[in-house]
């Protein structure tokens, strides 16, 4: 008998507080139903968009008769179309996401709580949410839907995720850019421990497909500070490669390499108008999400 | 050559120096393993810094090992060999100043080697290292004449390195070395002083040291000094010191009273056999010793009414057989005449009273003569001349005074009141100095062992401390002759200027007293210091009239006369050996100078500053391991250990924390 997946990562109180905020797309979305997000197409919302001349075949119900009365010409009145969005939550579940410093929460666990909360908010505002987790390949994939049953399936899947395998984020994101044809909100949760130049190409690819891309870069405090006082055998969580070294002597160079990586990654995101969020896992995820949602309100 | 250790057992701790390496290896075995995600950065950091990190790690390890190594070595109290110097290269000239005074004959209880033998062994061993490269010159304490040495091995069989019963004058030996360096332009020179650091030989208070050190450091050639100290724990030794032998009584009740003292290290009461030889007789008595110094006298009846004779007294053998014997001569008391040549009649009267306080009882006479009359004066029967007038510049008058001294007479010069340029044996009068009202010049220290200010036979000191000197005339020593330097018998407390100076010349002595027995000059006229002082000078001067005398070995000059040792069937050299010597009907008893029995040694802290800016190294000789000269260098090791510790501390200091930038939630 299979274990019942846990949904402990979903905090009802946090959801209650954050549900007053909504997830807005920063780019027009092409959805399947009417929603709260701007669409690139003209539609039937109450918000006036523009006039255009009547051409044969147009539905006469949209002719503005007041304008005809004043000008004796037929003009078609057009309105903005509001639609829902499709959000793809992309979760890195490679082994490195299982890392946690002393007393800290594993990065995957942290990312799962964020993703689950966002999924709940999105579904409850009528948007479709899908989930994809990957390591060296896509391991699970749920296409975006907006019903409550789907949300349950999505959360159940999240509860089963375990960190394992090596990261092939570059390949995975390129494949995603090809696969998702309609404009969507793509939120990636990862520690991005790969070449930032290659990552930038992925991001560029996704932006080329007109997706609204959000990147949550998850880091552990011990990775940022690298404070060790004696020689240590470091074992890579993904490849089991190990190295014995004195962190005291290495610390400067480690921090240099890390900051260089972070700076290049952030710079790439800024250049491609990608919403980049660096998250240290010892900070409260509710605050992180609140900041994220508030920034999206404008 | 190389290192020796005083605490060699501690070197067993040396393996502890490997502790850092062992701890490092253990740490390697017990590395904490950490699962790490951000290996990307770690690999980049490792690639760029592995070589530097390894080098740093090796340096840290090396310094840690060095700290422990040097610390353990310092605990072992390392002593550097003479060879440690040899790295500087051989000097052009090595001048060996050998102290072969009587105290250098002290034997080491363990090895039986005397301090002099040990010094010779070490010095010749060290000098052999410079064979063919450095010129070797020997200056010993008796003759103080530089002698070239062809081979270092000669030192052992050289008659100028044998044992003596003399005292050493280290500043005078240094002066001889300085003169030699100036005259012969020795090039880079090292002066090796072998001495037991006996304070009475080093005269640390002498102003000569200041001029010596400044002259040496001003020489164009580089001069360094190495002091080989043979001073060590003095074994339980006893020294017999001669004070006086006087013939007393008349006709059938004639006796000889010998005043002497025994100096020893112990305090406990002890009985000691004393063997006395008088002419052909031999008497043994036991003396009771209490305290470190016991002064006593022995009375020996003189069976015949002999006018003169000789003898010796000795203690049982101990660790220094050169301080167990004293020699004496005696004679019937003779008339002691003196001439007072004074410009001031009051001074003349006081001095006449001091020179003959009881003329008939003591068979003494004092004749007052005007100084201008000296040329026609017959001094053949005089023991002493008292001169209170400017130093005669006339050569004939000067030579008359000098001849009188050379024959054994005493000359006491008193201040004329005016400064003068004429000198007598290098001494001359300087300016007159008046003490502030109510604050007379006082005298704190003087030679209490011998000379005219010595303590009485029962140890009572003269009342020099009660002397109030209101006016004085400076005594200036302009002598260049190192062999006859003046000796300050007493000096003033405030500025250490001499109160009474003495110079030996031939068999007699010249004295300069800086004040007068006048009310406006001093309280000398009360006689409590003046009378005993003049009487002793008179007694000393009486030697010239006698066919017997007593003198200090090394200070008495036999001249070219043939002096034959009496008593024991052994060859003795009257220049530096104690004994009774005969020349015709004349007898002389030569004894070890009393200052040789003084136990005080000069500490390193007091010795080193004497050399001023001249480089000086001190070595201590170890009689149980006399392979080479050594000095302790543990401080160097400790300093090196501290430097290593500081360097290690700098290397392990973690780099400054880097501030992080970036948008973090």
């Amino acid at each position: 008998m299979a274990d019942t997946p846990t949904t402990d990562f979903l905090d009802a109180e946090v959801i209650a507080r954050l549900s007053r905020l909504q997830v807005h797309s920063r780019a027009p979305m092409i959805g399947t139903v009417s929603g709260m997000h701007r669409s690139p197409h003209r539609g039937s919302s109450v918000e006036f968009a523009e006039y255009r001349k009547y051409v044969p075949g147009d539905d006469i119900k949209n002719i503005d008769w007041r304008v005809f009365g004043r000008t004796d010409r037929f003009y078609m009145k057009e309105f903005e179309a509001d639609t829902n969005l499709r959000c793809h939550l992309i979760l890195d579940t490679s082994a490195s996401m299982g890392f946690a410093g002393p007393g800290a929460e594993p990065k995957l666990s942290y990312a799962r709580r964020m993703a689950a909360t966002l999924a709940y908010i999105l579904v409850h505002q009528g948007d479709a949410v899908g989930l994809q987790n990957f390591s060296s390949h896509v391991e699970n994939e749920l296409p975006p839907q907006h019903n409550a049953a789907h949300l349950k399936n999505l959360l159940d899947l999240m509860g089963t995720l375990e960190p394992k395998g090596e990261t092939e984020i570059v390949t995975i994101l390129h494949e995603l850019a090809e696969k998702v044809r309609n404009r969507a909100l793509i939120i990636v949760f990862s520690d991005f421990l790969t070449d930032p130049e290659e990552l930038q190409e992925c991001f560029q690819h996704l932006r080329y497909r007109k997706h609204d891309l959000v990147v949550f870069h998850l880091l552990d405090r011990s990775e940022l500070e690298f404070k060790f006082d004696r020689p240590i055998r470091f074992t890579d969580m993904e490849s089991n490669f190990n190295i014995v070294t004195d962190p005291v002597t290495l610390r400067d160079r480690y921090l240099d390499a890390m900051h260089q990586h972070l700076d290049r990654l952030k710079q790439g995101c800024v250049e491609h108008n990608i919403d980049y969020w660096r998250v240290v896992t010892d900070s409260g995820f509710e605050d992180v999400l609140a900041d994220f949602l508030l920034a999206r309100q404008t | 050559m190389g290192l020796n250790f005083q605490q060699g057992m501690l070197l067993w701790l040396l393996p502890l120096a490997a502790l850092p390496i062992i701890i490092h290896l253990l740490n390697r075995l017990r590395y904490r393993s950490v699962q790490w995600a951000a290996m990307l950065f770690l690999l980049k950091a490792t690639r760029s810094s592995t070589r530097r990190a390894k080098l740093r790690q090796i340096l840290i390890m090396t310094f840690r090992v060095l700290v422990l190594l040097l610390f353990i070595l310092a605990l072992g109290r390392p002593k550097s060999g003479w060879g440690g110097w040899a790295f500087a290269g051989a000097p052009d000239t090595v001048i060996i100043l050998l102290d072969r005074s009587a105290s250098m004959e002290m034997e080491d209880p363990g090895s039986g080697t005397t301090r002099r033998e040990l010094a010779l062994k070490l010095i010749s061993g060290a000098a052999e290292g410079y064979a063919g490269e450095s010129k070797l010159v020997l200056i010993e304490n008796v003759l103080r004449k530089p002698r070239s040495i062809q081979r270092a091995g000669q030192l052992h069989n050289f008659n100028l390195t044998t044992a003596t019963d003399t005292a050493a004058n280290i500043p005078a030996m240094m002066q001889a070395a300085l003169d030699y360096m100036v005259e012969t332009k020795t090039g880079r020179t090292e002066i090796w002083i072998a001495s037991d650091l006996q304070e009475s030989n080093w005269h640390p208070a002498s102003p000569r040291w200041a001029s010596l050190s400044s002259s040496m450091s001003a020489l164009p050639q580089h001069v360094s000094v190495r002091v080989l100290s043979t001073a060590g724990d003095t074994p339980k030794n006893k020294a017999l010191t001669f004070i006086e032998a006087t013939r007393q009584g008349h006709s059938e009740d004639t006796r000889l009273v010998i005043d002497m003292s025994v100096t020893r290290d112990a305090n406990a009461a002890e009985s000691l056999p004393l063997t006395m030889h008088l002419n052909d007789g031999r008497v043994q008595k036991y003396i009771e010793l209490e305290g470190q110094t016991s002064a006593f006298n022995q009375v020996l009846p003189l069976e015949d009414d002999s006018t003169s004779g000789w003898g010796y007294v000795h203690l049982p053998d101990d660790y220094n057989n050169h301080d167990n014997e004293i020699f004496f001569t005696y004679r019937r008391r003779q008339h002691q005449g003196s001439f007072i040549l004074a410009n001031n009649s009051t001074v003349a009267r006081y001095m006449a009273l001091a020179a003959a306080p009881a003329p008939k009882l003591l068979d003494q006479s004092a004749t007052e003569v005007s100084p201008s009359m000296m040329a026609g004066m017959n001094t053949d029967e005089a023991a002493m001349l008292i001169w209170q007038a400017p130093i005669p510049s006339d050569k004939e008058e000067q030579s008359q005074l000098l001849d009188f001294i050379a024959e054994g007479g005493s000359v006491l010069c008193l201040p004329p009141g005016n400064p003068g340029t004429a000198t007598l044996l290098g001494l001359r009068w300087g300016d007159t100095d008046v003490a502030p009202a109510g604050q007379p010049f006082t005298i704190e220290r003087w030679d209490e062992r011998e000379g005219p200010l010595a303590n009485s036979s029962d140890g009572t000191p003269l009342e020099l401390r009660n002397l109030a000197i209101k006016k004085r005339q400076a005594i200036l020593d302009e002598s260049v002759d190192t062999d006859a330097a003046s000796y300050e018998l007493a000096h003033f407390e405030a500025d250490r200027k001499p109160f009474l100076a003495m110079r030996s010349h031939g068999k007699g002595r010249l004295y300069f007293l800086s004040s007068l027995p006048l009310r406006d000059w001093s309280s000398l006229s009360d006689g409590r210091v003046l009378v005993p002082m003049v009487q002793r000078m008179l007694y000393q001067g009486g030697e010239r009239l006698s066919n017997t005398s007593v003198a200090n070995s090394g200070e008495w000059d036999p001249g070219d006369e043939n002096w034959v040792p009496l008593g024991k069937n052994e060859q003795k050299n009257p220049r530096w050996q104690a004994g009774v010597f005969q020349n015709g009907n004349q007898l002389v008893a030569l004894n070890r100078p009393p200052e040789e029995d003084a136990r005080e040694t000069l500490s390193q802290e007091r010795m080193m500053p004497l050399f001023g800016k001249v480089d000086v190294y001190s070595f201590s000789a170890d009689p149980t391991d006399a392979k080479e000269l050594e000095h302790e260098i543990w401080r160097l090791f400790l300093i090196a250990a501290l430097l290593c510790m500081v360097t290690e501390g700098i290397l392990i200091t973690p780099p400054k924390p880097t501030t992080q930038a970036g948008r973090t939630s």
Side-chain angles (χ1 to χ4, degrees):
Chain A
M1 187 177 159
D3 293 337
T4 306
T6 176
T7 54
D8 291 346
F9 46 85
L10 204 57
D11 189 330
E13 290 182 6
V14 172
I15 289 171
R17 285 193 290 271
L18 292 179
S19 57
R20 294 174 201 153
L21 300 170
Q22 291 163 332
V23 181
H24 286 277
S25 164
R26 293 201 306 192
M29 291 288 130
I30 298 175
T32 52
V33 294
S34 173
M36 55 184 290
H37 307 284
R38 199 157 45 93
S39 167
H41 306 300
R42 297 291 170 252
S44 55
S45 72
V46 293
E47 196 163 339
F48 171 78
E50 62 182 355
Y51 288 107
R52 69 171 172 84
K53 283 184 177 178
Y54 170 81
V55 290
D58 282 343
D59 191 349
I60 59 167
K61 74 176 181 181
N62 288 332
I63 292 175
D64 191 332
W65 296 107
R66 288 182 184 173
V67 175
F68 173 75
R70 287 200 298 274
T71 61
D72 203 21
R73 289 178 187 167
F74 294 113
Y75 280 95
M76 300 297 290
K77 192 176 182 180
E78 290 198 332
F79 296 90
E80 292 286 357
D82 285 342
T83 183
N84 69 336
L85 65 75
R86 279 178 293 191
C87 175
H88 293 263
L89 299 174
I90 312 298
L91 214 52
D92 180 357
T93 54
S94 63
S96 67
M97 288 292 282
F99 179 77
E105 183 180 6
K107 288 187 270 189
L108 178 58
S109 168
Y110 193 94
R112 178 160 45 202
R113 289 202 286 158
M114 288 182 75
T117 308
L118 280 173
Y120 188 94
I121 293 169
L122 282 162
V123 168
H124 281 80
Q125 72 183 26
D127 293 324
V129 181
L131 174 67
Q132 182 174 311
N133 76 291
F134 68 91
S135 53
S136 58
H137 58 279
V138 176
E139 294 188 345
N140 296 289
E141 187 174 9
L142 283 177
Q145 289 183 27
H146 57 83
N147 56 59
H150 174 71
L151 178 63
K152 184 179 182 306
N153 290 339
L154 189 142
L155 294 177
D156 287 346
L157 176 59
M158 277 188 186
T160 62
L161 299 180
E162 292 291 336
K164 60 183 178 185
E166 296 184 21
T167 313
E168 284 296 341
I169 188 170
V170 174
T171 314
I172 300 297
L173 291 182
H174 275 302
E175 285 174 4
L176 183 73
E178 290 299 318
K179 196 158 57 181
V180 181
R181 293 191 173 275
N182 290 333
R183 298 178 182 192
L185 172 64
I186 295 175
I187 303 176
V188 184
F189 299 89
S190 174
D191 50 11
F192 296 109
L193 292 173
T194 191
D195 182 13
E197 307 299 332
E198 292 181 358
L199 277 171
Q200 280 189 45
E201 288 176 11
C202 301
F203 296 156
Q204 198 175 2
H205 193 176
L206 284 164
R207 287 293 295 143
Y208 177 75
R209 292 292 184 180
K210 304 202 184 314
H211 298 303
D212 184 2
L213 183 59
V214 178
V215 166
F216 284 104
H217 188 179
L218 296 151
L219 291 163
D220 190 89
R221 179 67 64 192
S222 61
E223 288 177 322
L224 279 171
E225 295 182 343
F226 200 61
K227 281 186 178 172
F228 298 95
D229 58 355
R230 49 179 288 193
I232 286 176
R233 183 188 302 279
F234 291 99
T235 305
D236 187 11
M237 297 179 78
E238 296 188 359
S239 65
N240 281 333
F241 167 77
N242 69 70
I243 179 171
V244 177
T245 187
D246 181 5
V248 175
T249 60
L250 278 183
R251 188 168 182 268
D252 259 2
R253 280 167 187 78
Y254 171 92
L255 293 176
D256 280 350
M258 189 190 63
H259 286 127
Q260 202 179 348
H261 177 89
L262 295 179
D263 290 346
R264 285 164 68 188
L265 191 60
K266 187 180 175 187
Q267 183 64 29
C269 290
V270 169
E271 281 174 11
H272 297 107
N273 199 23
I274 294 161
D275 199 5
Y276 174 82
W277 292 83
R278 189 180 300 160
V279 181
V280 184
T281 54
D282 60 358
S283 52
F285 85 98
E286 183 184 352
D287 296 335
V288 177
L289 282 179
D291 288 344
F292 166 68
L293 293 173
L294 282 169
R296 289 253 152 189
Q297 300 305 304
T298 54
Chain B
M1 304 262 183
L3 285 178
N4 284 323
F5 293 87
Q6 205 153 324
Q7 303 288 336
M9 287 298 286
L10 288 174
L11 297 186
W12 286 104
L13 297 176
L14 273 179
L16 287 178
L19 267 181
I21 297 172
I22 294 167
I23 291 169
H24 172 73
L25 293 175
L26 285 174
N27 269 343
R28 277 190 77 89
L29 293 174
R30 299 170 59 191
Y31 276 129
R32 189 156 64 94
S33 283
V34 168
Q35 293 285 313
W36 193 249
M39 194 61 92
L40 177 70
F41 313 133
L42 199 55
L43 286 173
K44 277 188 183 174
T46 311
R47 269 199 296 274
S48 60
S49 70
T50 300
R51 286 176 65 187
R52 283 183 63 182
K54 276 185 180 171
L55 180 64
R56 189 178 173 198
Q57 192 65 42
I58 289 168
L59 284 174
I60 289 170
M61 196 61 59
T62 309
F63 280 113
R64 282 176 181 167
V65 170
L66 277 175
V67 167
L68 285 176
L69 195 68
L70 291 167
F71 190 67
I72 294 167
L73 288 174
L75 282 179
R77 295 180 66 187
K79 296 183 287 182
S80 166
W82 195 269
W85 290 333
F87 295 121
D92 298 320
T93 308
V94 173
I95 301 175
I96 300 164
L97 303 189
L98 178 65
D99 171 3
R100 53 177 189 137
S101 61
S103 62
M104 287 289 280
E105 298 310 310
M106 188 74 75
E107 289 177 8
D108 175 65
S111 62
T113 311
T114 67
R115 292 172 176 176
R116 180 185 51 83
E117 289 167 347
L118 176 63
L120 280 174
K121 192 172 184 179
L122 292 170
I123 281 184
S124 60
E128 274 170 9
Y130 296 148
E133 295 179 82
S134 304
K135 182 182 178 184
L136 294 180
V137 176
L138 172 73
I139 297 175
E140 46 73 51
N141 65 292
V142 181
L143 301 178
R144 298 200 286 263
K145 295 272 192 289
R147 301 288 176 100
S148 289
I149 307 291
Q150 298 305 316
R151 289 184 301 105
Q154 280 183 327
L155 287 168
H156 293 289
N157 308 313
F158 197 29
N159 69 335
L160 287 179
T161 61
T162 54
T164 73
D165 298 304
T166 60
N169 186 336
I170 302 294
M173 292 166 76
M174 285 287 286
Q175 184 69 52
L178 175 64
D179 294 343
Y180 178 78
M181 284 188 283
V182 172
E183 283 170 18
T184 58
K185 295 181 176 57
T186 51
R188 196 163 71 83
T189 307
E190 283 183 3
I191 299 173
W192 297 358
I193 304 174
S195 166
D196 56 2
L197 300 185
Q198 196 175 21
E199 188 167 336
S200 59
N201 290 171
W202 279 72
H203 304 286
S206 169
R208 175 177 273 187
W209 279 108
S211 63
L212 273 171
S213 59
S214 58
S215 301
M216 281 193 182
S217 52
L219 287 174
Q221 66 262 46
H222 180 261
V223 179
S224 59
V225 176
R226 298 172 184 184
V227 180
L228 167 63
S229 163
T230 57
D233 295 335
T234 312
K236 288 183 179 174
N237 182 62
K238 297 174 188 70
L240 183 64
T241 309
F242 175 78
I243 297 173
E244 195 177 25
T246 49
R247 181 182 180 278
Q248 296 179 355
H250 301 280
S251 59
E252 292 179 357
D253 184 24
T254 315
R255 57 195 179 277
L256 181 67
V257 180
I258 309 167
D259 290 302
M260 58 196 127
S261 66
V262 173
T263 311
R264 59 182 185 144
D265 297 308
N267 274 315
E270 186 181 359
S271 182
L272 200 67
L274 192 71
T275 309
M276 292 173 283
H277 297 258
L278 178 62
N279 298 322
D280 294 328
R282 177 177 176 273
V283 180
Q284 189 175 56
K285 286 186 178 178
Y286 277 84
I287 52 169
E288 299 300 322
L289 301 178
E290 286 182 2
Q292 290 191 324
T293 302
S294 303
F296 56 93
N297 61 34
Q298 292 293 318
V299 180
L300 296 174
L302 293 173
E303 291 177 356
D304 56 350
D305 191 21
S306 61
T307 54
S308 65
W310 62 277
Y312 59 97
V313 183
H314 65 87
L315 295 173
D317 287 352
D318 55 16
Y319 291 109
N320 187 351
N321 291 330
H322 279 254
D323 62 7
N324 295 334
E325 258 182 332
I326 58 169
F327 300 88
F328 60 86
T329 58
Y330 65 89
R331 58 182 161 83
R332 186 197 294 271
R333 187 179 180 89
Q334 290 181 315
H335 175 79
Q336 293 173 333
S338 54
F339 284 102
I340 320 292
L341 299 101
N343 280 340
N344 186 307
S345 58
T346 312
V347 171
R349 198 164 59 252
Y350 276 118
M351 295 313 291
L353 278 171
K360 288 185 180 172
L361 183 66
L362 298 174
D363 194 15
Q364 292 174 326
S365 65
T367 311
E368 294 178 35
V369 184
S370 169
S372 59
M373 303 293 288
M374 193 182 75
M377 207 168 65
N378 183 1
T379 58
D380 290 348
E381 299 298 320
M384 183 177 182
L385 297 180
I386 297 174
W387 181 268
Q388 193 264 319
I391 301 294
S393 50
D394 180 58
K395 281 192 177 177
E396 274 190 27
E397 287 184 338
Q398 273 222 357
S399 65
Q400 195 177 349
L401 281 175
L402 293 176
D403 289 347
F404 180 78
I405 300 168
E407 287 166 7
S410 294
V411 171
L412 171 63
C413 290
L414 297 174
N418 299 317
T421 52
T423 62
L424 192 61
L425 292 176
L427 296 175
R428 73 173 177 88
W429 293 111
D431 292 329
T432 306
D433 195 6
V434 180
Q439 295 178 319
F441 301 115
T442 56
I443 296 151
E444 190 63 30
R445 299 191 69 177
W446 64 94
D447 191 338
E448 297 180 52
R449 289 192 297 268
E450 65 165 343
L453 303 177
N455 295 346
S456 64
S457 58
D458 62 355
T460 309
L462 295 191
E463 294 187 29
L464 268 87
R465 282 195 180 86
N466 297 330
L467 266 185
I469 310 293
K470 299 172 190 169
K471 196 172 175 183
R472 64 182 183 180
Q473 190 160 6
I475 302 168
L476 305 177
D477 186 352
E478 295 184 346
S479 58
V480 290
D481 181 7
T482 57
D483 287 349
S486 70
Y487 176 56
E488 290 175 19
L489 291 167
H491 54 72
F492 291 102
E493 185 183 2
D495 51 13
R496 304 182 74 85
K497 287 183 178 173
F499 169 68
L500 179 64
M502 180 196 83
R503 280 198 69 164
S504 297
H505 178 62
K507 296 175 184 173
R509 287 170 181 179
L510 167 70
Y511 301 94
F512 264 57
L513 183 68
S514 72
S515 193
L516 289 172
L518 294 175
R519 192 169 293 174
D520 58 332
W521 278 73
S522 72
S523 61
L524 276 169
S525 56
D526 65 14
R528 283 181 287 187
V529 172
L530 189 70
V531 173
M533 181 184 78
V534 171
Q535 284 295 311
R536 287 167 180 180
M537 292 174 182
L538 191 59
Y539 181 82
Q540 180 73 33
E543 301 287 332
R544 72 185 286 264
L545 306 173
S546 167
N547 60 350
T548 67
S549 59
V550 176
N552 287 335
S553 180
E555 297 171 9
W556 184 78
D557 183 7
D560 299 328
E561 295 165 346
N562 182 28
W563 290 86
V564 181
L566 294 178
K568 300 175 183 175
N569 291 323
E570 56 184 352
Q571 287 297 315
K572 283 188 173 180
N573 190 326
R575 281 187 184 275
W576 54 67
Q577 282 178 301
V580 180
F581 297 86
Q582 186 175 33
N583 178 25
N585 65 344
Q586 286 196 315
L587 288 175
V588 63
L590 299 177
N591 281 303
R592 186 180 68 262
E595 66 261 28
E596 264 313 282
D597 296 334
R599 301 287 179 179
E600 292 81 16
T601 55
L602 198 61
S603 64
Q604 296 277 327
E605 289 71 24
R606 289 182 65 208
M607 183 264 287
M608 301 294 259
L610 295 177
F611 296 93
K613 291 179 181 174
V614 179
D615 292 339
V616 56
Y617 307 91
S618 176
F619 291 74
S620 57
D622 183 357
T624 58
D625 183 15
K627 289 176 187 163
E628 59 175 314
L629 298 173
E630 296 167 324
H631 73 144
E632 286 202 41
I633 53 167
W634 61 269
R635 283 186 186 85
L636 287 178
F637 279 73
L638 211 55
I639 290 167
L642 286 173
L643 286 176
C644 288
M645 211 182 288
V646 169
T647 314
E648 191 260 0
I650 292 168
L651 284 171
I652 63 167
T653 304
K656 285 180 183 174
T658 313
T659 52
Q660 295 178 32
R663 176 182 172 184
T664 54
S665 297

